[in-house]
Every structure is written in C-alpha cells, then in structure tokens.
Amino acid sequence: MRPGGVDLAALAGRVRHAPPRLGPVRLVVVDGPAGSGKTTLADLLAAALDSAPVVHLDDLYEGWSGL
C-alpha cells in the first residue's frame, strides 16, 4: 500500500531491520502539520509491524490549554 506515496512494506522492513536504540525498542516518530495524515500513516505502519503500539501526543499532553 502506498498512502501518500509511502511504500508501507518497505518502510516496515526498514523499521524491522534498524538496530534498536532504546534497549530492545525501536521508536518511530511521525511528524507533520495538522491534517497531513500522521494518524493514518501511524496506524497503517503499526498494522504492518504486527500491531505495534501507537502513542499519540494527545494521550500525553493536555494541549495548549494545559500549559
């Protein structure tokens, strides 16, 4: 699948073959402006990585009102 021109199989392969840098963990960060498809890409990549967990910044950060 190529959402937004991204080859998910190739990206998942790169993640799997990259050396872990957080103990046994590989961290993938998806960044971009609002509405750019970050959540969609993260969910698709997580599925391609055997249901890897996805953590959204909104789960950790109260937003501008919490500053």
Side-chain angles (χ1 to χ4, degrees):
M1 182 179 267
R2 294 178 83 82
V6 174
D7 183 343
L8 280 173
L11 181 56
R14 289 182 65 186
V15 170
R16 278 193 186 97
H17 292 99
R21 296 184 181 189
L22 297 169
V25 176
R26 291 172 186 85
L27 177 67
V28 176
V29 178
V30 180
D31 188 24
S36 63
K38 297 179 296 293
T39 297
T40 301
L41 176 61
D43 289 343
L44 291 170
L45 181 57
L49 292 169
D50 304 320
S51 299
V54 175
V55 178
H56 301 273
L57 185 57
D58 294 343
D59 298 336
L60 307 172
Y61 178 64
E62 294 184 31
W64 296 114
S65 61
L67 289 176

